[in-house]
Amino acid sequence: MKNNLKGLGLLTVFSAFSQTEMIDYLKQQVSNGTVYTDEATLKKQSFSPRLSSDDSGLALAYIEAQSTADVQGVMRAARKFHVPVIPQDQFTSTVAGADGVAGSFVLSTKQMNQIKEISRADSVAVVEPGVINGDLDKAAREQGMFYAPDPGSKPISGIGGNVATNAGGMSTVKYGATKDNVLGLKVVLADGREIKLGGRTLKQAFGYNLTQLFVGSEGTLGVVTEVTVKLMPIPIGKPTMGVAFFDNMTKLAEAVAEIRISGVYPTMLEALDSATIAALDAYEGTHYSDNSGAMLIFKVDNSIPEVVDKLKALMAAHGAANATVTTDPDRQAELEKLRRDMLPAVFAGQNHIMEDMAMPLSKLAPMMDYIHDLGEKKQLKIYVAGHAGDGNVHPTIVWPKEQTETPQAVVEALQLMFHKTLELGGTISGEHAVGTLKNQWNNEELGEDVDQIQHQIKALFDPMGLLNPGRKIN
Amino acid sequence: MKNNLKGLGLLTVFSAFSQTEMIDYLKQQVSNGTVYTDEATLKKQSFSPRLSSDDSGLALAYIEAQSTADVQGVMRAARKFHVPVIPQDQFTSTVAGADGVAGSFVLSTKQMNQIKEISRADSVAVVEPGVINGDLDKAAREQGMFYAPDPGSKPISGIGGNVATNAGGMSTVKYGATKDNVLGLKVVLADGREIKLGGRTLKQAFGYNLTQLFVGSEGTLGVVTEVTVKLMPIPIGKPTMGVAFFDNMTKLAEAVAEIRISGVYPTMLEALDSATIAALDAYEGTHYSDNSGAMLIFKVDNSIPEVVDKLKALMAAHGAANATVTTDPDRQAELEKLRRDMLPAVFAGQNHIMEDMAMPLSKLAPMMDYIHDLGEKKQLKIYVAGHAGDGNVHPTIVWPKEQTETPQAVVEALQLMFHKTLELGGTISGEHAVGTLKNQWNNEELGEDVDQIQHQIKALFDPMGLLNPGRKIN
């Protein structure tokens, strides 16, 4: 099932065209955007800083499209020369999903960054793919609404990339992931046609749900050129946030499962283990690690006494009698910042791999246990944090900067974690997608039949195997 | 693109097998279920009472499967003899989506009706397709949760049928339609393999979203044999329900659009026009039609004063100063019953067609106007009601029982409504799917390119064109 790499093979072995001919033709097809071929740009836009080695060969060109016509132009050139196209948005993939490959066209939609419409009357926004998630949210809030999905990359990732990966975030526990907030798409197919999927209605039962086939397809089926999303009204009432400290992550996970079915409908249930808290204390100058082994940051959209009391009671029942809550917006902002600073605090000056399993809720606690034991057994530094309310855990393994190769113990630990995840009925990708780093797990997670169907779907939309070859499926 | 009817053609013209041979073989393949071939059963299970004429020929057999093996057995016989298979669940389609066709196997999953698991710990249920929606909801409530999607057919429709049509309902405005509540599926493909899609995690970003490709696919891509759904916790707090009366549906629709973005997060926003209210009064002995031209039934999951006050203020601002609210469960049950009795009240003793457009929220009011004017112009009795909070409107046209043919004016009115819906950016199916009654509109609603892609997807999963041929796509 490697035929989606054919493009590459043809180019290397049989191409009848010189690089100059190909670039000249490409430039003719891209009338509004910019085509870069200088080595510095190609390197910068081809290699994810932390994820890829730079010996895999350079892309042939990096294109910043300004319009659908540009995207179609790049596809035209790609078909003519059998050159792979790597769709890229803000290039923030954590799974090496948009790195250039040797001899490819890296097609960036980052400059297609117009918010075309914010409609209060329809509760929707229509945006180009390059719009930054946080910018869309800000624009919606100016009109009394918000854009719910809030990945950790909110200040830097684009909606196109969010769609490609089905990005989640902290608020998924209440408002769903990207897939739950996309109503419609425009997509340029490998054959150059731009199709329109879905629309701007809140109910829809007409065609096959091709919109959702494209959400999470990681640029392997087409290039997203426009996205229509739901906007949510800002809930009435004052949000309540709080923190609680548990003896360990297992106790915390048990409390989270109870909160999840208690009827309080949290908008945030974020877990941080002791190692992560210590790293944050060092980074922020705070003193949370004095308290305990695991910290839960929680939020509800209101401050109804029954809800707040219920939350406190549930946490106390699992050993966290010290939960504090606040309705002060400044204090809430501090807590959100604390959670968002988790990554730089943990990564600081070290090599790292952050993982992204999602577990059935009841399997979060055993998974936490397993990861903890694994770290001890393999003598690895593993930080564990995540969107506990969704059963989504992000263990991060770090090792010294000097050690450029990923240590064998890290590779082994990841494999063991993945096997355990699948054994417990989880998925090895909750919100970061598959990219280059996990596509060898398709057969394990999905089974041979579904793996095969994925390749048939791919072949249907992209028979020449031009789009992001070797990613997601392989 | 009619090649999905090939099976039929082959059967009629070239079949080398006698009916007896086919039935004998079929019976051998169905070890747990029952195969019916008597005319009375075939007629009853082949023809939707109100939707189909009974001159289209009889199915060859009606099979009530008891297991996945039975479903696979029917598919095996179907492939051997090139016989079309009509997947059927509780046979409650409103779009003639599961009627038998001449010479077909009608494959019912209504006897596969086990609730396999209700998991409080994971907030999910695992059910067979024949489980009645209301039964699942009841079982979930016994454990402090509920199953959110609540189509009008809740007491009679099965989860398999709900999945096939992406059924919605009154609570979709807050909790989403079937697609938003399905986490995983098992499906028997045309080639007989049973595949497993999705799972029981709340986040999922691994494979292509094939789960959502099957939700709403109306039995044309495979036969659903198991469904894993999200269960929701019962919200803390007392729900508030109420009614408000507006001058007309246009004013009501305008108020609904404001409520939708106000931050009150209603769980129900149901609209009934004056004709519907009058029919309900006649049916129930109530006196709502004394009040006005349009009635809104609303519900929120709580009784926070700011929320209730906000609701009342918004309705008053659109001319409904007379809104009344109640937290009394009995009175709320009466109001829900009123809404649910809408169909029998309107249908009573008449022929009818109920439609199912979903509009962008801002286009609900103009659509209401259009339907009202159309009724006057064509001198038709049109009742208008619907899930206004989703922009989902159900106009029902009735005509006398004696008149067995659908009147030409009705046909013309439907066509005009469909054109207007599409012109305003709506969909002609919000929650009832496509079936036999709307598949000739694929090109209009989806465009030629997407229509073509739908046929390619169909051909990928069902190359022999055996599954529910001529439905959804044609």
Side-chain angles (χ1 to χ4, degrees), chain A residues 126-151:
Chain A
V126 182
V127 301
E128 291 186 326
V131 170
I132 301 287
N133 177 305
D135 292 346
L136 168 58
D137 186 41
K138 187 159 170 281
R141 284 180 192 271
E142 282 164 8
Q143 298 199 37
M145 299 173 290
F146 68 105
Y147 178 62
D150 57 350

PDB file of all heavy atoms in Angstrom, chain A residues 126-151:
ATOM      1  N   VAL A 126     -16.904  32.607   8.741  1.00  0.00           N
ATOM      2  CA  VAL A 126     -16.322  32.041   7.526  1.00  0.00           C
ATOM      3  C   VAL A 126     -14.903  32.590   7.418  1.00  0.00           C
ATOM      4  O   VAL A 126     -14.709  33.808   7.413  1.00  0.00           O
ATOM      5  CB  VAL A 126     -17.134  32.415   6.275  1.00  0.00           C
ATOM      6  CG1 VAL A 126     -16.539  31.771   5.034  1.00  0.00           C
ATOM      7  CG2 VAL A 126     -18.600  32.015   6.446  1.00  0.00           C
ATOM      8  N   VAL A 127     -13.937  31.684   7.396  1.00  0.00           N
ATOM      9  CA  VAL A 127     -12.536  32.128   7.422  1.00  0.00           C
ATOM     10  C   VAL A 127     -11.694  31.402   6.384  1.00  0.00           C
ATOM     11  O   VAL A 127     -12.019  30.283   5.962  1.00  0.00           O
ATOM     12  CB  VAL A 127     -11.887  31.892   8.815  1.00  0.00           C
ATOM     13  CG1 VAL A 127     -12.650  32.627   9.906  1.00  0.00           C
ATOM     14  CG2 VAL A 127     -11.770  30.406   9.139  1.00  0.00           C
ATOM     15  N   GLU A 128     -10.603  32.056   6.010  1.00  0.00           N
ATOM     16  CA  GLU A 128      -9.584  31.364   5.224  1.00  0.00           C
ATOM     17  C   GLU A 128      -8.732  30.509   6.179  1.00  0.00           C
ATOM     18  O   GLU A 128      -8.706  30.763   7.387  1.00  0.00           O
ATOM     19  CB  GLU A 128      -8.744  32.388   4.471  1.00  0.00           C
ATOM     20  CG  GLU A 128      -9.536  33.076   3.355  1.00  0.00           C
ATOM     21  CD  GLU A 128      -8.675  34.006   2.504  1.00  0.00           C
ATOM     22  OE1 GLU A 128      -7.733  34.624   3.051  1.00  0.00           O
ATOM     23  OE2 GLU A 128      -8.951  34.126   1.302  1.00  0.00           O
ATOM     24  N   PRO A 129      -8.030  29.517   5.611  1.00  0.00           N
ATOM     25  CA  PRO A 129      -7.348  28.551   6.492  1.00  0.00           C
ATOM     26  C   PRO A 129      -6.225  29.139   7.332  1.00  0.00           C
ATOM     27  O   PRO A 129      -5.935  28.630   8.416  1.00  0.00           O
ATOM     28  CB  PRO A 129      -6.808  27.498   5.512  1.00  0.00           C
ATOM     29  CG  PRO A 129      -6.777  28.176   4.169  1.00  0.00           C
ATOM     30  CD  PRO A 129      -7.908  29.156   4.189  1.00  0.00           C
ATOM     31  N   GLY A 130      -5.613  30.231   6.857  1.00  0.00           N
ATOM     32  CA  GLY A 130      -4.451  30.769   7.570  1.00  0.00           C
ATOM     33  C   GLY A 130      -4.798  31.614   8.784  1.00  0.00           C
ATOM     34  O   GLY A 130      -3.902  32.050   9.515  1.00  0.00           O
ATOM     35  N   VAL A 131      -6.082  31.844   9.032  1.00  0.00           N
ATOM     36  CA  VAL A 131      -6.481  32.644  10.199  1.00  0.00           C
ATOM     37  C   VAL A 131      -6.056  31.939  11.479  1.00  0.00           C
ATOM     38  O   VAL A 131      -6.328  30.753  11.665  1.00  0.00           O
ATOM     39  CB  VAL A 131      -8.007  32.877  10.200  1.00  0.00           C
ATOM     40  CG1 VAL A 131      -8.469  33.502  11.524  1.00  0.00           C
ATOM     41  CG2 VAL A 131      -8.414  33.752   9.022  1.00  0.00           C
ATOM     42  N   ILE A 132      -5.371  32.668  12.349  1.00  0.00           N
ATOM     43  CA  ILE A 132      -4.913  32.105  13.623  1.00  0.00           C
ATOM     44  C   ILE A 132      -6.131  31.855  14.520  1.00  0.00           C
ATOM     45  O   ILE A 132      -7.023  32.704  14.612  1.00  0.00           O
ATOM     46  CB  ILE A 132      -3.949  33.093  14.318  1.00  0.00           C
ATOM     47  CG1 ILE A 132      -2.732  33.404  13.425  1.00  0.00           C
ATOM     48  CG2 ILE A 132      -3.519  32.580  15.694  1.00  0.00           C
ATOM     49  CD1 ILE A 132      -1.730  32.303  13.298  1.00  0.00           C
ATOM     50  N   ASN A 133      -6.145  30.713  15.159  1.00  0.00           N
ATOM     51  CA  ASN A 133      -7.256  30.331  16.046  1.00  0.00           C
ATOM     52  C   ASN A 133      -7.597  31.463  17.020  1.00  0.00           C
ATOM     53  O   ASN A 133      -8.762  31.852  17.163  1.00  0.00           O
ATOM     54  CB  ASN A 133      -6.863  29.035  16.792  1.00  0.00           C
ATOM     55  CG  ASN A 133      -7.909  28.586  17.798  1.00  0.00           C
ATOM     56  OD1 ASN A 133      -8.305  29.349  18.674  1.00  0.00           O
ATOM     57  ND2 ASN A 133      -8.367  27.354  17.682  1.00  0.00           N
ATOM     58  N   GLY A 134      -6.581  31.998  17.677  1.00  0.00           N
ATOM     59  CA  GLY A 134      -6.810  33.053  18.672  1.00  0.00           C
ATOM     60  C   GLY A 134      -7.389  34.323  18.057  1.00  0.00           C
ATOM     61  O   GLY A 134      -8.164  35.034  18.706  1.00  0.00           O
ATOM     62  N   ASP A 135      -7.009  34.614  16.821  1.00  0.00           N
ATOM     63  CA  ASP A 135      -7.535  35.814  16.149  1.00  0.00           C
ATOM     64  C   ASP A 135      -9.018  35.651  15.834  1.00  0.00           C
ATOM     65  O   ASP A 135      -9.806  36.599  15.968  1.00  0.00           O
ATOM     66  CB  ASP A 135      -6.774  36.087  14.842  1.00  0.00           C
ATOM     67  CG  ASP A 135      -5.331  36.513  15.095  1.00  0.00           C
ATOM     68  OD1 ASP A 135      -5.005  36.857  16.259  1.00  0.00           O
ATOM     69  OD2 ASP A 135      -4.525  36.492  14.144  1.00  0.00           O
ATOM     70  N   LEU A 136      -9.390  34.448  15.414  1.00  0.00           N
ATOM     71  CA  LEU A 136     -10.810  34.189  15.156  1.00  0.00           C
ATOM     72  C   LEU A 136     -11.610  34.314  16.453  1.00  0.00           C
ATOM     73  O   LEU A 136     -12.669  34.953  16.497  1.00  0.00           O
ATOM     74  CB  LEU A 136     -10.991  32.780  14.563  1.00  0.00           C
ATOM     75  CG  LEU A 136     -12.430  32.250  14.503  1.00  0.00           C
ATOM     76  CD1 LEU A 136     -13.337  33.168  13.694  1.00  0.00           C
ATOM     77  CD2 LEU A 136     -12.451  30.828  13.927  1.00  0.00           C
ATOM     78  N   ASP A 137     -11.089  33.736  17.512  1.00  0.00           N
ATOM     79  CA  ASP A 137     -11.777  33.798  18.797  1.00  0.00           C
ATOM     80  C   ASP A 137     -11.949  35.249  19.241  1.00  0.00           C
ATOM     81  O   ASP A 137     -13.029  35.652  19.692  1.00  0.00           O
ATOM     82  CB  ASP A 137     -10.978  32.996  19.830  1.00  0.00           C
ATOM     83  CG  ASP A 137     -11.697  32.881  21.159  1.00  0.00           C
ATOM     84  OD1 ASP A 137     -12.927  32.670  21.145  1.00  0.00           O
ATOM     85  OD2 ASP A 137     -11.042  33.012  22.206  1.00  0.00           O
ATOM     86  N   LYS A 138     -10.906  36.032  19.067  1.00  0.00           N
ATOM     87  CA  LYS A 138     -10.952  37.450  19.479  1.00  0.00           C
ATOM     88  C   LYS A 138     -12.020  38.195  18.675  1.00  0.00           C
ATOM     89  O   LYS A 138     -12.833  38.940  19.240  1.00  0.00           O
ATOM     90  CB  LYS A 138      -9.571  38.074  19.254  1.00  0.00           C
ATOM     91  CG  LYS A 138      -9.410  39.477  19.786  1.00  0.00           C
ATOM     92  CD  LYS A 138      -7.928  39.816  19.980  1.00  0.00           C
ATOM     93  CE  LYS A 138      -7.746  41.294  20.287  1.00  0.00           C
ATOM     94  NZ  LYS A 138      -7.829  42.153  19.077  1.00  0.00           N
ATOM     95  N   ALA A 139     -12.023  37.972  17.372  1.00  0.00           N
ATOM     96  CA  ALA A 139     -13.004  38.644  16.516  1.00  0.00           C
ATOM     97  C   ALA A 139     -14.431  38.243  16.893  1.00  0.00           C
ATOM     98  O   ALA A 139     -15.346  39.072  16.887  1.00  0.00           O
ATOM     99  CB  ALA A 139     -12.728  38.304  15.049  1.00  0.00           C
ATOM    100  N   ALA A 140     -14.618  36.968  17.246  1.00  0.00           N
ATOM    101  CA  ALA A 140     -15.951  36.506  17.641  1.00  0.00           C
ATOM    102  C   ALA A 140     -16.367  37.144  18.961  1.00  0.00           C
ATOM    103  O   ALA A 140     -17.511  37.572  19.127  1.00  0.00           O
ATOM    104  CB  ALA A 140     -15.962  34.975  17.765  1.00  0.00           C
ATOM    105  N   ARG A 141     -15.415  37.230  19.898  1.00  0.00           N
ATOM    106  CA  ARG A 141     -15.730  37.808  21.215  1.00  0.00           C
ATOM    107  C   ARG A 141     -16.127  39.273  21.103  1.00  0.00           C
ATOM    108  O   ARG A 141     -16.943  39.768  21.889  1.00  0.00           O
ATOM    109  CB  ARG A 141     -14.546  37.645  22.179  1.00  0.00           C
ATOM    110  CG  ARG A 141     -14.442  36.218  22.690  1.00  0.00           C
ATOM    111  CD  ARG A 141     -13.292  35.976  23.664  1.00  0.00           C
ATOM    112  NE  ARG A 141     -13.122  34.542  23.858  1.00  0.00           N
ATOM    113  CZ  ARG A 141     -13.756  33.817  24.792  1.00  0.00           C
ATOM    114  NH1 ARG A 141     -14.575  34.405  25.645  1.00  0.00           N
ATOM    115  NH2 ARG A 141     -13.562  32.520  24.883  1.00  0.00           N
ATOM    116  N   GLU A 142     -15.544  39.964  20.127  1.00  0.00           N
ATOM    117  CA  GLU A 142     -15.939  41.363  19.926  1.00  0.00           C
ATOM    118  C   GLU A 142     -17.415  41.475  19.561  1.00  0.00           C
ATOM    119  O   GLU A 142     -18.003  42.539  19.661  1.00  0.00           O
ATOM    120  CB  GLU A 142     -15.061  42.008  18.840  1.00  0.00           C
ATOM    121  CG  GLU A 142     -13.693  42.375  19.385  1.00  0.00           C
ATOM    122  CD  GLU A 142     -12.663  42.646  18.286  1.00  0.00           C
ATOM    123  OE1 GLU A 142     -13.053  42.695  17.092  1.00  0.00           O
ATOM    124  OE2 GLU A 142     -11.473  42.788  18.633  1.00  0.00           O
ATOM    125  N   GLN A 143     -17.998  40.363  19.122  1.00  0.00           N
ATOM    126  CA  GLN A 143     -19.425  40.381  18.802  1.00  0.00           C
ATOM    127  C   GLN A 143     -20.243  39.495  19.744  1.00  0.00           C
ATOM    128  O   GLN A 143     -21.328  39.039  19.401  1.00  0.00           O
ATOM    129  CB  GLN A 143     -19.634  39.966  17.350  1.00  0.00           C
ATOM    130  CG  GLN A 143     -18.943  40.943  16.393  1.00  0.00           C
ATOM    131  CD  GLN A 143     -19.493  40.854  14.986  1.00  0.00           C
ATOM    132  OE1 GLN A 143     -20.689  40.664  14.781  1.00  0.00           O
ATOM    133  NE2 GLN A 143     -18.617  40.986  14.020  1.00  0.00           N
ATOM    134  N   GLY A 144     -19.687  39.263  20.934  1.00  0.00           N
ATOM    135  CA  GLY A 144     -20.459  38.563  21.963  1.00  0.00           C
ATOM    136  C   GLY A 144     -20.509  37.058  21.800  1.00  0.00           C
ATOM    137  O   GLY A 144     -21.361  36.391  22.383  1.00  0.00           O
ATOM    138  N   MET A 145     -19.601  36.501  21.005  1.00  0.00           N
ATOM    139  CA  MET A 145     -19.564  35.048  20.813  1.00  0.00           C
ATOM    140  C   MET A 145     -18.118  34.601  21.023  1.00  0.00           C
ATOM    141  O   MET A 145     -17.240  35.406  21.305  1.00  0.00           O
ATOM    142  CB  MET A 145     -20.039  34.708  19.393  1.00  0.00           C
ATOM    143  CG  MET A 145     -21.483  35.168  19.130  1.00  0.00           C
ATOM    144  SD  MET A 145     -22.011  34.951  17.404  1.00  0.00           S
ATOM    145  CE  MET A 145     -21.016  36.204  16.574  1.00  0.00           C
ATOM    146  N   PHE A 146     -17.874  33.293  20.879  1.00  0.00           N
ATOM    147  CA  PHE A 146     -16.496  32.842  20.911  1.00  0.00           C
ATOM    148  C   PHE A 146     -16.321  31.617  20.027  1.00  0.00           C
ATOM    149  O   PHE A 146     -17.304  30.962  19.662  1.00  0.00           O
ATOM    150  CB  PHE A 146     -16.014  32.564  22.352  1.00  0.00           C
ATOM    151  CG  PHE A 146     -16.661  31.396  23.043  1.00  0.00           C
ATOM    152  CD1 PHE A 146     -15.973  30.200  23.212  1.00  0.00           C
ATOM    153  CD2 PHE A 146     -17.963  31.493  23.547  1.00  0.00           C
ATOM    154  CE1 PHE A 146     -16.565  29.113  23.870  1.00  0.00           C
ATOM    155  CE2 PHE A 146     -18.557  30.418  24.202  1.00  0.00           C
ATOM    156  CZ  PHE A 146     -17.858  29.229  24.361  1.00  0.00           C
ATOM    157  N   TYR A 147     -15.065  31.344  19.656  1.00  0.00           N
ATOM    158  CA  TYR A 147     -14.756  30.128  18.908  1.00  0.00           C
ATOM    159  C   TYR A 147     -14.207  29.137  19.917  1.00  0.00           C
ATOM    160  O   TYR A 147     -13.165  29.378  20.529  1.00  0.00           O
ATOM    161  CB  TYR A 147     -13.749  30.411  17.792  1.00  0.00           C
ATOM    162  CG  TYR A 147     -13.383  29.144  17.050  1.00  0.00           C
ATOM    163  CD1 TYR A 147     -14.368  28.426  16.368  1.00  0.00           C
ATOM    164  CD2 TYR A 147     -12.087  28.654  17.042  1.00  0.00           C
ATOM    165  CE1 TYR A 147     -14.063  27.237  15.710  1.00  0.00           C
ATOM    166  CE2 TYR A 147     -11.774  27.471  16.372  1.00  0.00           C
ATOM    167  CZ  TYR A 147     -12.765  26.775  15.713  1.00  0.00           C
ATOM    168  OH  TYR A 147     -12.457  25.602  15.069  1.00  0.00           O
ATOM    169  N   ALA A 148     -14.912  28.032  20.106  1.00  0.00           N
ATOM    170  CA  ALA A 148     -14.655  27.165  21.256  1.00  0.00           C
ATOM    171  C   ALA A 148     -13.325  26.405  21.220  1.00  0.00           C
ATOM    172  O   ALA A 148     -12.596  26.419  22.213  1.00  0.00           O
ATOM    173  CB  ALA A 148     -15.825  26.201  21.447  1.00  0.00           C
ATOM    174  N   PRO A 149     -12.963  25.710  20.129  1.00  0.00           N
ATOM    175  CA  PRO A 149     -11.754  24.880  20.221  1.00  0.00           C
ATOM    176  C   PRO A 149     -10.513  25.716  20.564  1.00  0.00           C
ATOM    177  O   PRO A 149     -10.250  26.739  19.926  1.00  0.00           O
ATOM    178  CB  PRO A 149     -11.639  24.259  18.817  1.00  0.00           C
ATOM    179  CG  PRO A 149     -13.053  24.234  18.312  1.00  0.00           C
ATOM    180  CD  PRO A 149     -13.649  25.502  18.848  1.00  0.00           C
ATOM    181  N   ASP A 150      -9.791  25.282  21.587  1.00  0.00           N
ATOM    182  CA  ASP A 150      -8.665  26.074  22.099  1.00  0.00           C
ATOM    183  C   ASP A 150      -7.421  25.208  22.301  1.00  0.00           C
ATOM    184  O   ASP A 150      -6.980  24.968  23.423  1.00  0.00           O
ATOM    185  CB  ASP A 150      -9.058  26.745  23.421  1.00  0.00           C
ATOM    186  CG  ASP A 150      -9.508  25.724  24.484  1.00  0.00           C
ATOM    187  OD1 ASP A 150      -9.690  24.541  24.124  1.00  0.00           O
ATOM    188  OD2 ASP A 150      -9.641  26.104  25.652  1.00  0.00           O
ATOM    189  N   PRO A 151      -6.827  24.738  21.195  1.00  0.00           N
ATOM    190  CA  PRO A 151      -5.605  23.936  21.345  1.00  0.00           C
ATOM    191  C   PRO A 151      -4.518  24.752  22.047  1.00  0.00           C
ATOM    192  O   PRO A 151      -4.569  25.984  22.047  1.00  0.00           O
ATOM    193  CB  PRO A 151      -5.216  23.616  19.904  1.00  0.00           C
ATOM    194  CG  PRO A 151      -5.891  24.658  19.063  1.00  0.00           C
ATOM    195  CD  PRO A 151      -7.157  24.980  19.782  1.00  0.00           C
TER     196      PRO A 151
END
